[in-house]
Amino acid sequence: MKKRLLSLAAAGLLALTFGFANPAQGSQNAPIAVVDQPVAVIELFTSQGCSSCPKADKYLGALAKRDDVIALSWHVDYWNYLGWSDTFSKPEFSDRQRRYAVSLKSKNYYTPQMVVNGQAHGVGSQPKVIQAVLAAHAAQALNPSIAVKAHKRDMELRISVEGAGHTFDGSETLWLVRFDKQKTVEIKRGENAGTKITYHNVVRGITMLGMVKNGKLDVVLPIAELKRQGFDGCALLLQKMSPDGLPGPIVGATLINSL
């Protein structure tokens, strides 16, 4: 399924907010990252109302099991008119995909689409295509290379960007992406009517945490507030952003599966 790129200038990125806490004294820092320095961040743009998507959803589930990849599923809302409204869809997720289309100079955005490291895209239901993209990125050293560290200390999540040996251009922005690890949905109408599909690493929200300044970034978040949001895991993405808010290359990332 494909949808023509429309009204990009009017689209806006929604950023949710968390309260911040002051650093506290206490126990030794405990690393909690599950995937540190991944070879790739793979973002699938999908919809419960897309008949071409179940194969890609299953493939993303396989990618999510890898210990060297961060795989995220973004549910778009522009197919909701086909008779079934995607229960995980949000307009800001569709907007992220539209903005990728602009930054990647693609005439169309579509489902199922996979974006690799914010730098290339391919049809998500074609594993060989995505594997070829992953191989090309490895050969060209385009994988995320900047360390994003997460530690739990007392009731705080302490995050730091460690950029030794890297040159920053001031556009590097740290995002917290909240997701549910697995959700099964019985689809009753639309193109996938009568099917039950299991989705993996289903994104529920995204929050901007800050930008790298003078080669560093440190953030402290209250774990109680993160847990209150009711998600299973989160990913930290360090991504270059254009002055007009277009997402660019993902240069660092960490996956956290539990708090």
Side-chain angles (χ1 to χ4, degrees):
M1 300 174 69
K2 295 191 175 182
K3 186 173 181 72
R4 199 71 183 169
L5 186 63
L6 298 171
S7 304
L8 293 170
L13 180 64
L14 176 66
L16 305 177
T17 58
F18 283 130
F20 286 74
N22 293 323
Q25 301 299 318
S27 59
Q28 183 69 25
N29 285 5
I32 57 174
V34 176
V35 177
D36 197 4
Q37 294 296 107
V39 300
V41 175
I42 300 176
E43 301 175 75
L44 170 65
F45 293 92
T46 185
S47 172
Q48 294 169 10
C50 162
S51 61
S52 304
C53 289
K55 184 177 179 179
D57 298 320
K58 184 177 181 179
Y59 178 43
L60 187 90
L63 290 170
K65 294 178 182 178
R66 289 179 51 168
D67 59 7
D68 61 347
V69 167
I70 295 177
L72 300 169
S73 178
W74 303 80
H75 286 241
V76 300
D77 68 344
Y78 49 77
W79 295 125
N80 287 354
Y81 72 92
L82 293 178
W84 178 259
S85 292
D86 189 304
T87 55
F88 306 127
S89 66
K90 290 186 178 182
E92 57 265 33
F93 300 165
S94 301
D95 181 61
R96 181 172 178 84
Q97 186 184 24
R98 294 185 186 103
R99 289 176 178 266
Y100 264 136
V102 177
S103 65
L104 296 174
K105 296 179 172 57
S106 174
K107 295 181 180 180
N108 298 314
Y109 56 89
Y110 55 91
T111 56
Q113 181 183 34
M114 282 187 176
V115 176
V116 179
N117 294 332
Q119 302 176 62
H121 69 96
V123 179
S125 57
Q126 299 178 2
K128 290 184 179 179
V129 172
I130 303 304
Q131 290 300 323
V133 174
L134 291 173
H137 276 221
Q140 300 173 46
L142 297 176
N143 298 338
S145 58
I146 297 175
V148 179
K149 300 295 185 181
H151 294 78
K152 182 167 65 174
R153 183 174 181 180
D154 296 331
M155 292 305 295
E156 298 172 342
L157 178 64
R158 297 188 170 202
I159 303 163
S160 64
V161 173
E162 302 176 6
H166 293 273
T167 300
F168 294 93
D169 61 16
S171 70
E172 296 84 5
T173 305
L174 185 64
W175 299 91
L176 175 71
V177 179
R178 312 189 312 279
F179 63 83
D180 286 323
K181 297 176 187 176
Q182 185 169 300
K183 289 287 187 179
T184 299
V185 178
E186 183 178 354
I187 300 172
K188 299 180 180 180
R189 297 182 300 277
E191 293 187 353
N192 291 319
T195 62
K196 186 178 291 186
I197 302 175
T198 298
Y199 299 96
H200 302 270
N201 290 4
V202 180
V203 175
R204 309 309 297 272
I206 179 171
T207 305
M208 186 180 73
L209 298 181
M211 300 179 69
V212 175
K213 298 295 183 182
N214 299 318
K216 64 180 297 184
L217 174 64
D218 295 290
V219 179
V220 178
L221 299 175
I223 290 177
E225 176 63 17
L226 295 175
K227 289 183 175 180
R228 189 186 66 80
Q229 299 292 326
F231 58 89
D232 294 329
C234 61
L236 297 167
L237 306 182
L238 185 66
Q239 186 165 30
K240 290 180 177 290
M241 304 294 294
S242 73
D244 52 354
L246 297 180
I250 294 175
V251 295
T254 293
L255 180 68
I256 300 172
N257 268 344
S258 65
L259 294 173

